[in-house]
Amino acid sequence: MVSKDELLRRWERTVERLFRERVIRTEAVRRAFLKYPRYLFVEKRYRDYAHVDEPLPIPAGQTISAPHMVAIMLELAELGPGMTVLEIGTGSGWNAALIAELVKTDVYTIERIPELVEFARRNLEKAGVENVHVIPGDGTEGFPPKAPYDRIIVTAGAPRVPEPLVEQLKPGGKLLIPVGSYHLWQDLLEVVKLPDGSTETKNHGGVAFVPLIGEHGWRG
């Protein structure tokens, strides 16, 4: 197992490469990546590989996304201080920590798998993140108590855009969600809610996420 200093050096090189390649485009996202390295959010046996730009296993047969994919979604989200954000699919808690650093306020994140609820909470606590609220439940239903949201970010692939998530967006709000097949390929969609309640959708191309299970997603 490599030293903490070496883990950090490797991670910094990954972040700088993503920045040079314009995958990370803004200084805010770059700073968030440096503040919360991915190795803080994986099991010990995978820490030596956390700098590699690929998904890694986490408990319950799920994955932590590759750094480039997380960066792409955060840049598309155009997060800013004070925004109300809901994340669907907490997983390791890493993405929620990055979101919290960008919005500087409370972030709500839904996770259906109890083992991952506890895994994410432990990771966030160890990383010193205090403004992320991990909520057990069906993420396809959203989280009405804190709606409406400026941004909803979904980190699992759905068969279609869940209607409750669109309903819980503010006018002008944005939903980022992979939509497509159960395994392998989906399209990363950006759904913007217009002032009249209708939506406008942009397709940002092919991605690969674990399936979004729930009442308005795939059936488990």
Side-chain angles (χ1 to χ4, degrees), residues 67-86:
H68 78 272
M69 192 69 253
V70 173
I72 286 168
M73 291 185 77
L74 291 178
E75 293 288 8
L76 286 173
E78 298 178 306
L79 299 170
M83 282 187 177
T84 306
V85 181
L86 175 66

Side-chain angles (χ1 to χ4, degrees), residues 3 67 73 76 93-94 121 123 150 154-155 164 168 178 219-220:
S3 68
M73 291 185 77
L76 286 173
W94 182 43
R121 284 175 175 166
N123 289 340
D150 295 295
V154 183
T155 63
Q168 290 171 42
R219 295 305 170 98

Side-chain angles (χ1 to χ4, degrees), residues 34-82:
L34 291 172
K35 181 168 183 177
Y36 294 119
R38 189 167 72 148
Y39 60 76
L40 297 177
F41 294 87
V42 297
E43 294 170 285
K44 281 184 180 177
R45 58 185 158 154
Y46 297 117
R47 280 183 194 160
D48 291 0
Y49 310 102
H51 66 287
V52 179
D53 196 11
E54 295 175 4
L56 288 175
I58 59 172
Q62 303 298 298
T63 58
I64 185 170
S65 292
H68 78 272
M69 192 69 253
V70 173
I72 286 168
M73 291 185 77
L74 291 178
E75 293 288 8
L76 286 173
E78 298 178 306
L79 299 170

Side-chain angles (χ1 to χ4, degrees), residues 51-210:
H51 66 287
V52 179
D53 196 11
E54 295 175 4
L56 288 175
I58 59 172
Q62 303 298 298
T63 58
I64 185 170
S65 292
H68 78 272
M69 192 69 253
V70 173
I72 286 168
M73 291 185 77
L74 291 178
E75 293 288 8
L76 286 173
E78 298 178 306
L79 299 170
M83 282 187 177
T84 306
V85 181
L86 175 66
E87 181 195 37
I88 309 301
T90 315
S92 67
W94 182 43
N95 196 51
L98 298 171
I99 293 168
E101 177 62 16
L102 290 161
V103 300
K104 309 291 187 188
T105 189
D106 290 338
V107 171
Y108 301 90
T109 177
I110 312 289
E111 176 54 59
R112 72 179 181 87
I113 302 172
E115 186 179 357
L116 290 183
V117 171
E118 294 309 314
F119 182 65
R121 284 175 175 166
R122 285 196 306 272
N123 289 340
L124 290 160
E125 184 178 356
K126 283 188 291 185
V129 183
E130 296 181 349
N131 54 334
V132 170
H133 306 275
V134 182
I135 300 150
D138 178 357
T140 69
E141 302 272 14
F143 188 56
K146 296 296 179 179
Y149 299 97
D150 295 295
R151 300 287 186 269
I152 299 177
I153 298 173
V154 183
T155 63
R160 69 196 72 82
V161 176
E163 194 54 40
L165 302 186
V166 176
E167 290 170 359
Q168 290 171 42
L169 278 178
K170 292 180 183 178
K174 185 186 294 188
L175 164 67
L176 288 168
I177 181 169
V179 173
S181 62
Y182 185 86
H183 281 302
L184 293 179
W185 298 109
Q186 302 100 21
D187 289 316
L188 179 57
L189 302 185
E190 175 185 345
V191 182
V192 177
K193 190 171 188 178
L194 302 176
D196 65 0
S198 65
T199 59
E200 196 171 76
T201 302
K202 295 180 189 173
N203 188 330
H204 292 282
V207 293
F209 280 82
V210 296

